[in-house]
Protein backbone atom coordinates (compact mmCIF):
# COMPACT_ATOMS: atom_id res chain seq x y z
CA UNK A 1 0.00 0.00 0.00
CA UNK A 2 1.17 3.49 -0.88
CA UNK A 3 0.01 6.61 0.91
CA UNK A 4 -0.12 9.88 -1.00
CA UNK A 5 -0.69 13.47 0.04
CA UNK A 6 -1.18 16.26 -2.50
CA UNK A 7 -0.56 19.94 -1.92
CA UNK A 8 0.01 23.14 -3.86
CA UNK A 9 -3.42 23.80 -5.32
CA UNK A 10 -5.11 27.16 -5.19
CA UNK A 11 -6.77 29.92 -7.17
CA UNK A 12 -4.92 31.71 -9.96
CA UNK A 13 -5.75 33.92 -12.89
CA UNK A 14 -5.59 32.74 -16.46
CA UNK A 15 -1.97 32.56 -17.58
CA UNK A 16 -0.65 31.91 -14.10
CA UNK A 17 1.34 28.97 -12.79
CA UNK A 18 1.14 26.44 -9.99
CA UNK A 19 3.34 23.61 -8.82
CA UNK A 20 1.58 20.68 -7.24
CA UNK A 21 3.36 18.26 -4.94
CA UNK A 22 2.65 14.62 -4.20
CA UNK A 23 4.37 13.16 -1.17
CA UNK A 24 4.28 9.38 -1.19
CA UNK A 25 5.22 6.76 1.39
CA UNK A 26 4.70 3.12 2.27
CA UNK A 27 5.35 0.23 -0.12
CA UNK A 28 7.11 2.19 -2.84
CA UNK A 29 8.95 -0.73 -4.44
CA UNK A 30 8.04 -2.89 -7.42
CA UNK A 31 8.16 -0.68 -10.53
CA UNK A 32 6.08 2.04 -8.97
CA UNK A 33 4.33 4.54 -11.22
CA UNK A 34 3.00 7.85 -9.95
CA UNK A 35 0.42 9.75 -11.96
CA UNK A 36 -1.56 12.97 -11.80
CA UNK A 37 -5.23 12.90 -12.68
CA UNK A 38 -7.80 15.65 -12.65
CA UNK A 39 -11.56 15.71 -12.44
CA UNK A 40 -13.98 18.57 -12.92
CA UNK A 41 -17.61 18.40 -11.74
CA UNK A 42 -19.70 16.24 -14.03
CA UNK A 43 -16.71 15.03 -16.01
CA UNK A 44 -14.65 11.86 -16.07
CA UNK A 45 -11.35 11.64 -14.29
CA UNK A 46 -8.60 12.14 -16.85
CA UNK A 47 -4.89 11.49 -16.82
CA UNK A 48 -2.53 14.45 -16.93
CA UNK A 49 0.92 12.89 -16.67
CA UNK A 50 2.81 10.01 -15.06
CA UNK A 51 6.33 9.29 -13.93
CA UNK A 52 8.31 6.24 -12.87
CA UNK A 53 10.46 7.33 -9.91
CA UNK A 54 12.99 4.55 -10.51
CA UNK A 55 14.30 5.87 -13.82
CA UNK A 56 12.48 9.15 -14.41
CA UNK A 57 10.47 7.91 -17.38
CA UNK A 58 7.56 10.26 -18.06
CA UNK A 59 4.30 10.12 -19.98
CA UNK A 60 1.99 13.03 -20.81
CA UNK A 61 -1.38 13.59 -22.26
CA UNK A 62 -0.37 15.00 -25.62
CA UNK A 63 -2.47 18.16 -25.40
CA UNK A 64 -0.98 19.13 -22.02
CA UNK A 65 2.69 18.44 -22.64
CA UNK A 66 3.51 21.96 -23.81
CA UNK A 67 2.34 23.54 -20.54
CA UNK A 68 2.73 20.84 -17.89
CA UNK A 69 5.84 19.10 -16.60
CA UNK A 70 6.10 16.17 -14.21
CA UNK A 71 9.28 15.66 -12.21
CA UNK A 72 10.38 13.84 -9.10
CA UNK A 73 12.77 14.22 -6.18
CA UNK A 74 13.46 10.70 -4.99
CA UNK A 75 15.38 11.90 -1.95
CA UNK A 76 12.14 13.42 -0.69
CA UNK A 77 9.73 10.84 -2.10
CA UNK A 78 7.94 13.61 -3.91
CA UNK A 79 6.50 14.02 -7.39
CA UNK A 80 5.76 17.48 -8.77
CA UNK A 81 3.45 18.76 -11.45
CA UNK A 82 4.50 22.14 -12.78
CA UNK A 83 1.60 23.82 -14.55
CA UNK A 84 2.20 26.93 -16.63
CA UNK A 85 -0.05 29.19 -18.68
CA UNK A 86 -3.09 27.89 -16.86
CA UNK A 87 -6.49 28.21 -18.47
CA UNK A 88 -10.00 28.12 -17.00
CA UNK A 89 -10.53 24.68 -18.50
CA UNK A 90 -7.69 23.42 -16.30
CA UNK A 91 -9.85 24.01 -13.23
CA UNK A 92 -10.41 20.69 -11.47
CA UNK A 93 -9.60 18.60 -8.47
CA UNK A 94 -6.13 17.20 -9.06
CA UNK A 95 -5.28 13.78 -7.65
CA UNK A 96 -2.05 11.89 -7.22
CA UNK A 97 -2.22 8.14 -7.79
CA UNK A 98 0.16 5.20 -7.42
CA UNK A 99 0.23 1.80 -9.05
CA UNK A 100 2.50 -0.95 -10.34
CA UNK A 101 2.76 -2.28 -13.86
CA UNK A 102 0.20 0.28 -14.96
CA UNK A 103 -0.91 -0.14 -18.56
CA UNK A 104 -2.48 1.94 -19.98
CA UNK A 105 -1.19 4.72 -17.79
CA UNK A 106 -4.19 7.00 -18.11
CA UNK A 107 -6.92 4.68 -16.84
CA UNK A 108 -7.83 5.62 -13.28
CA UNK A 109 -8.92 2.09 -12.41
CA UNK A 110 -5.39 0.81 -12.94
CA UNK A 111 -4.08 2.63 -9.87
CA UNK A 112 -4.33 1.12 -6.42
CA UNK A 113 -3.73 4.17 -4.21
CA UNK A 114 -5.03 7.72 -4.33
CA UNK A 115 -4.49 10.94 -2.47
CA UNK A 116 -7.24 13.20 -1.19
CA UNK A 117 -6.90 15.70 -4.03
CA UNK A 118 -5.98 19.36 -4.25
CA UNK A 119 -8.23 21.94 -5.87
CA UNK A 120 -7.06 24.10 -8.76
CA UNK A 121 -9.22 27.00 -9.84
CA UNK A 122 -8.29 29.22 -12.78
CA UNK A 123 -10.26 32.39 -13.40
CA UNK A 124 -10.44 34.30 -16.65
Amino acid sequence: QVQLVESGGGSVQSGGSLRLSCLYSGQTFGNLRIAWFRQAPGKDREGVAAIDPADGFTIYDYAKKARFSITRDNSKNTVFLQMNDLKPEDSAMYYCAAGRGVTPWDRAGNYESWGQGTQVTVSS
Side-chain angles (χ1 to χ4, degrees):
Q1 204 80 28
V2 179
Q3 293 77 49
L4 309 107
V5 179
E6 305 100 328
S7 62
S11 299
V12 298
Q13 296 185 46
S14 181
S17 298
L18 286 172
R19 189 176 77 159
L20 308 183
S21 298
C22 173
L23 177 67
Y24 59 90
S25 61
Q27 301 176 19
T28 59
F29 54 87
N31 300 117
L32 185 69
R33 173 162 289 175
I34 306 294
W36 285 99
F37 284 76
R38 70 185 189 185
Q39 187 169 28
K43 297 184 179 180
D44 293 334
R45 190 167 296 187
E46 63 176 356
V48 177
I51 190 167
D52 299 337
D55 61 6
F57 179 79
T58 58
I59 313 171
Y60 294 88
D61 176 83
Y62 186 81
K64 302 174 181 65
K65 188 174 182 179
R67 300 185 294 117
F68 292 11
S69 178
I70 188 168
T71 58
R72 95 289 199 203
D73 184 344
N74 287 353
S75 68
K76 299 180 179 180
N77 289 331
T78 302
V79 170
F80 304 97
L81 183 68
Q82 179 68 46
M83 306 187 295
N84 300 318
D85 192 24
L86 285 164
K87 306 177 185 299
E89 52 264 40
D90 295 318
S91 297
M93 185 72 75
Y94 283 71
Y95 297 92
C96 184
R100 296 176 177 84
V102 175
T103 303
W105 75 273
D106 57 348
R107 180 166 290 180
N110 288 344
Y111 292 83
E112 63 191 45
S113 302
W114 292 83
Q116 82 287 353
T118 184
Q119 181 68 45
V120 172
T121 302
V122 185
S123 60
S124 59

